[in-house]
């Protein structure tokens, strides 16, 4: 395990619409070490306000030592990130946590909203292994779906889309695409809202398809020190596991679905 | 340059290379930070609170950010004394720094047994008794709120311990000087304060508490003025060394506590957002002493001048 605390120069801040921004940062150590599904803890704002770092998945990493973060602006920390300018620097700690395993022959990636963020790096690593991942993307609108569509297509993924308003692809939940699209998959990867991941987990369990999910909790440290990121351990009733260390990626069977 | 100033401080029979320690529960068992800060730079590492049996802790959500601070209701999750000795202590032993084991129990007997298990343990330089954790209903709260009960625990631990005993006080009391004196009279070798202040946060949309435990412990820069005042009062009330804790994030913060009478400081929540905080504080104290023309940190401890 090697993680780094670095001040990283911001190369680019793109405002993508739909409350999404994409940050491109110079972070050679992190880019070199990151596994898909791992995250970084980012200091947002100025003068330690907000106080705690925010966990963000690594969206993309390249051989030139840059990484990208795809961020939905939802509160104070992410709003501060949206104000960042190219040339400024951000303090990052990472890469952190346990990422996705790359053992798959017919992978199906299911992303809901901002949950698709870590799936792009995963798709890239799977494509590097000569695979053609199937990607099911759920978004609120066509505009939001378009933001990620091209990036996945550029990696040679086959794509199926669902939007809440039906403005692109299937109208409804992305999980409603599973039975038509993913019956042949030998591995499911899911990241998105809890009910979406629960539905993917159920689909996998019903058909005996291995499934990995990426979970979110509030995190104070991201380092395994505060023990704030606890989730129930179904293997040991009454006990907890920690999303920042044992995850954020878990086997669907390691999660208590409610 | 740094060799010019003497940063050594004494806590009873233990000497620290410098006055900067980590606060219990904010630095794991040390290994969590090994890749991010040079552990041998620290005055001491204080472990997560250890109980006899492992504790699973509270249900989530366990943490919530607040202005300049955070609330936690971890519920004292820890691996228990057995696994601590087997799995965690060997790493701590070779960190090149002093190791303080923070202990907690729900009876005098449990505290005493923990002290007995740790007596003579290689690589354990001191014990810190948590009589003040506000998180668990049957946890240390009762001991820390009552001078008699606190004294009982301190005496029980002192009878078993082979190492110096630091008593960590709760701020959730009316008269901190009273508690400080009770601990000193019962045989404490040093005091540390403050633990977290009991607080609460509510989600107005769901109308529910933001923490599953409903209340939690407030920490971080928000509590620093309260902590400083209590450390100043406690240091004036006792002869034994006092360790200042609460919202310390920079060398300037640490120096305020030293001036108020603290012989050492512990850094807590700051580790979460700045894992290098402790090492930076050590360097900052040295730089301050040099700039002030002082050759030893001892010269500024309790050096507060009149208003
Ligand atoms: C491992 C991990 C990876 C993540 N990756 C990404 C990513 O790639 N892109 C991205 O946009 N977001 C990601 N998140 C979520 C992101 O961390 C939160 O959106 C962010 O912390 C919100 O900070 P804020 O200050 O803007 O919002 P706050 O002001 O803190 O909160 C605003 C709202 O968001 C809710 N919220 C805050 N934190 C979380 C959280 N961790 N999970 C769910 N709800 C939360 C609050 O309850 C509140 O309603 C990830 C979270 C984790 C744990
Ligand atoms: C997440 C968390 C866990 C803590 N766990 C313990 C503990 O196990 N034992 C203990 O004595 N104090 C514990 N504390 C209290 C700290 O050691 C410290 O007294 C307090 O946080 C104030 O210092 P700070 O403002 O620098 O964080 C914990 C604090 C936090 C934030
Ligand atoms: S976020 Fe601190 S232990 Fe996981």
């Amino acid at each position: 395990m090697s993680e780094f605390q670095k001040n990283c120069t911001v190369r680019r801040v793109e405002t993508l619409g739909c409350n999404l921004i994409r940050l491109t940062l110079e972070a050679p150590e992190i880019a070199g070490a990151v596994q898909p599904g791992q995250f970084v803890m980012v200091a947002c704002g100025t003068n330690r306000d907000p106080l705690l770092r925010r966990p963000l998945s690594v969206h993309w990493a390249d051989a030139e030592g840059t990484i990208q973060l795809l961020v939905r602006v939802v509160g104070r920390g992410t709003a501060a990130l949206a104000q960042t300018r190219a040339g400024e620097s951000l303090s990052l700690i990472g890469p952190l946590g346990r990422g996705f395993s790359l053992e798959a022959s017919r992978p199906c990636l299911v992303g809901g909203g901002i949950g698709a963020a870590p799936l792009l790096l995963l798709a890239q690593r799977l494509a590097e292994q000569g695979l053609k991942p199937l990607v099911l993307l759920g978004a609120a609108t066509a505009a939001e779906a378009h933001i990620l569509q091209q990036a996945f297509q550029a990696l040679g993924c086959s794509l199926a889309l669902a939007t809440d308003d039906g403005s692109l692809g299937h109208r409804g939940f992305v999980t409603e695409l599973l039975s038509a699209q993913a019956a042949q998959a030998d591995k499911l990867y899911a990241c998105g809202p809890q009910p979406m991941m629960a539905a993917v987990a159920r689909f996998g369990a019903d058909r005996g398809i291995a499934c990995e999910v990426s979970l979110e909790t509030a995190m104070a440290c991201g380092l395994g020190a505060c023990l704030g990121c606890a989730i129930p351990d179904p293997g040991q009733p009454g006990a907890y596991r920690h999303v920042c260390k044992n995850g954020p990626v878990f086997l669907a069977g390691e999660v208590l679905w409610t | 340059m740094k060799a010019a100033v003497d940063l050594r401080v004494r806590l009873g029979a233990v000497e620290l290379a410098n006055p900067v320690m980590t606060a219990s529960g904010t630095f794991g068992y040390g290994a969590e930070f090994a890749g991010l800060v040079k552990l041998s730079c620290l005055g001491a590492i204080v472990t997560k609170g250890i109980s006899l049996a492992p504790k699973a802790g509270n249900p989530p959500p366990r943490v919530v950010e607040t202005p300049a601070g955070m609330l936690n209701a971890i519920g004292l999750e820890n691996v228990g004394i057995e696994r601590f000795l087997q799995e965690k202590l060997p790493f701590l032993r070779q960190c090149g720094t002093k190791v303080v084991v923070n202990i907690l129990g729900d009876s005098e007997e449990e505290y005493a047994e923990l002290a007995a298990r740790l007596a003579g343990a290689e690589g354990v330089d001191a014990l810190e008794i948590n009589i003040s954790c506000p998180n668990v209903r049957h946890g240390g709260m009762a001991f820390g709120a009552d001078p008699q009960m606190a004294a009982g625990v301190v005496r029980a631990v002192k009878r078993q311990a082979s190492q110096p005993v630091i008593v960590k006080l709760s701020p959730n009391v009316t008269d901190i000087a009273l508690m400080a004196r009770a601990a000193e009279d019962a045989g404490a070798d040093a005091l540390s304060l403050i633990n977290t202040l009991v607080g609460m946060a509510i989600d107005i949309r769901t109308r529910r508490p933001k923490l599953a435990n409903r209340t939690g412990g407030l920490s971080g820069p928000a509590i620093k003025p309260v902590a400083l005042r209590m450390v100043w009062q406690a240091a004036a009330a006792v002869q034994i060394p006092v360790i200042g804790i609460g919202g310390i994030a920079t060398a300037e913060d640490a120096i305020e506590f030293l001036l108020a009478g603290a012989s050492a400081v512990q850094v807590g929540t700051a580790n979460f957002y700045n894992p290098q905080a402790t090492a930076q504080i050590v360097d900052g104290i040295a730089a301050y002493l040099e700039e002030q023309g002082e050759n030893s940190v001892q010269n500024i401890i309790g050096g507060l001048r009149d208003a």
Side-chain angles (χ1 to χ4, degrees):
Chain A
M1 264 287 228
S2 58
E3 63 256 342
F4 306 90
Q5 178 174 359
K6 292 284 169 194
N7 288 322
C8 302
T9 304
V10 178
R11 279 260 191 90
R12 220 168 344 131
V13 184
E14 296 162 87
T15 306
L16 306 171
C18 309
N19 280 327
L20 291 173
I21 57 166
R22 184 162 49 211
L23 293 170
T24 305
L25 298 142
E26 289 170 24
E29 293 88 355
I30 295 170
V34 68
Q35 301 297 315
Q38 287 189 302
F39 65 98
V40 289
M41 291 296 282
V42 183
C44 308
T46 48
N47 294 320
R48 308 252 184 253
D49 182 30
L51 187 68
L52 301 173
R53 291 168 182 263
R54 300 298 193 250
L56 296 165
S57 305
V58 177
H59 179 53
W60 185 254
D62 64 23
E64 280 79 63
T66 62
I67 64 167
Q68 289 188 327
L69 308 176
L70 183 72
V71 184
R72 167 152 279 147
V73 177
V74 296
R76 284 184 347 112
T78 48
L81 283 181
Q83 300 303 312
T84 313
R85 301 278 153 75
E88 294 177 355
S89 82
L90 285 174
S91 171
L92 267 60
I93 299 176
L96 299 169
R98 177 175 75 162
F100 294 107
S101 89
L102 296 175
E103 280 155 42
S105 340
R106 294 179 306 281
C108 172
L109 286 53
V110 189
I114 191 65
L119 299 182
L120 188 67
L121 184 62
L122 174 64
Q124 188 255 340
R125 297 290 167 92
L126 292 168
E128 258 174 22
Q129 298 184 2
L131 302 173
K132 185 177 157 76
L134 167 65
V135 179
L136 310 182
L137 280 186
T141 59
E144 190 183 312
H146 282 312
I147 291 169
L148 283 163
Q149 194 179 8
Q150 283 172 347
F152 281 106
Q153 276 164 347
L155 293 170
C157 301
S158 43
L159 222 62
L161 302 168
T163 49
D164 295 346
D165 64 358
S167 53
L168 188 67
H170 172 75
R171 181 199 197 104
F173 293 128
V174 65
T175 45
E176 289 158 5
L177 298 170
L178 280 168
S179 44
Q181 302 276 344
Q184 301 307 313
D186 73 339
K187 184 66 162 284
L188 298 163
Y189 299 97
C191 186
Q194 191 85 8
M196 183 211 93
M197 291 192 285
V200 178
R202 220 176 304 120
F203 178 84
D206 288 349
R207 300 177 191 230
I209 308 173
C211 177
E212 296 181 20
V213 296
S214 179
L215 302 187
E216 284 189 15
T217 56
M219 287 187 180
C221 73
L223 303 170
C226 74
L227 307 180
C229 59
I231 55 160
D233 180 353
Q236 261 180 293
Y240 298 96
R241 313 190 81 208
H242 300 99
V243 172
C244 76
K245 270 285 177 227
N246 306 125
V249 175
F250 291 89
L251 304 178
E254 295 175 310
V255 178
L256 194 67
W257 299 103
T258 45
Chain B
M1 283 260 289
K2 254 187 282 167
V5 292
D6 185 355
L7 291 178
R8 288 172 302 169
V9 295
R10 233 169 213 298
L11 301 174
V14 231
E15 184 181 86
L16 310 186
N18 66 65
V20 183
M21 315 165 69
T22 63
S24 177
T26 65
F27 210 69
Y29 302 100
E32 291 83 349
F33 283 80
L36 296 168
V37 64
K38 215 169 136 198
L39 300 179
S40 60
C41 292
L42 307 179
I45 293 174
V46 182
T47 67
K48 175 72 189 163
I50 309 287
S51 47
L52 272 183
K55 275 186 190 287
N58 287 332
R62 291 179 173 187
V63 291
V64 54
E65 191 180 51
T66 57
M70 61 179 279
L71 287 166
N72 87 80
I74 306 302
L76 298 171
E77 175 179 344
N78 77 92
V79 297
I81 187 70
E82 203 59 54
R83 282 184 58 201
F84 172 75
L85 292 169
Q86 295 295 319
E87 298 169 22
K88 309 294 181 184
L89 187 55
F91 175 85
L92 285 164
R93 247 181 227 133
Q94 48 82 56
C95 284
T97 183
K98 299 286 189 232
V99 174
V100 178
V101 179
N102 181 288
I103 57 171
L104 64 111
D106 49 24
S107 64
E108 277 184 22
E109 295 71 31
E110 193 172 338
Y111 280 102
E113 195 176 334
L114 281 160
R117 294 294 303 274
L118 288 160
E122 187 201 332
V124 176
D125 298 289
L127 307 185
E128 180 178 63
I129 322 180
N130 178 10
I131 56 167
S132 47
C133 186
N135 284 337
V136 175
R137 265 178 223 106
H138 300 285
M141 184 62 204
F143 295 106
D146 178 81
Q148 247 93 53
M149 289 214 285
V153 173
V154 176
R155 276 192 296 266
V157 170
K158 276 297 286 183
R159 274 196 289 273
Q160 302 296 331
S162 67
Q163 303 93 340
V165 172
I166 303 164
V167 179
K168 183 165 178 180
L169 300 180
S170 165
N172 304 303
V173 296
T174 320
D175 185 352
I176 197 71
L178 187 70
M179 295 304 303
R181 278 192 295 266
E184 181 181 43
D185 292 344
D189 298 287
L191 303 178
S192 59
L193 70 161
I194 61 175
N195 209 316
T196 53
L197 292 148
V198 181
M200 194 173 182
I202 295 171
D203 182 330
I204 61 168
R205 289 204 178 73
T206 62
R207 305 186 185 185
R208 292 177 207 282
K210 287 189 180 176
L211 294 171
N213 189 55
R214 300 193 284 271
T215 62
L218 183 64
S219 66
I223 71 170
K224 197 191 88 177
V226 178
L228 190 60
R229 183 265 299 172
M230 289 191 147
V231 166
W232 175 66
Q233 289 175 328
V238 297
Q239 302 300 314
I240 51 178
V242 170
I243 302 165
I245 322 171
I248 298 172
T250 64
E252 288 76 11
D253 297 333
I255 293 161
E256 282 190 73
F257 280 83
L258 297 173
L259 289 169
S263 296
V265 295
Q266 294 181 8
V267 178
T269 301
N271 293 307
F272 296 157
Y273 55 88
N274 179 17
Q276 287 160 15
T278 43
Q280 290 167 356
I281 292 171
V282 175
D283 290 346
I285 294 173
Y288 167 84
L289 292 172
E290 235 161 88
E291 169 205 304
Q292 296 279 312
E294 301 287 0
N295 59 8
S296 166
V297 68
Q298 304 283 345
N299 299 350
I300 66 162
I301 292 171
L304 179 67
R305 295 178 181 146
D306 239 358

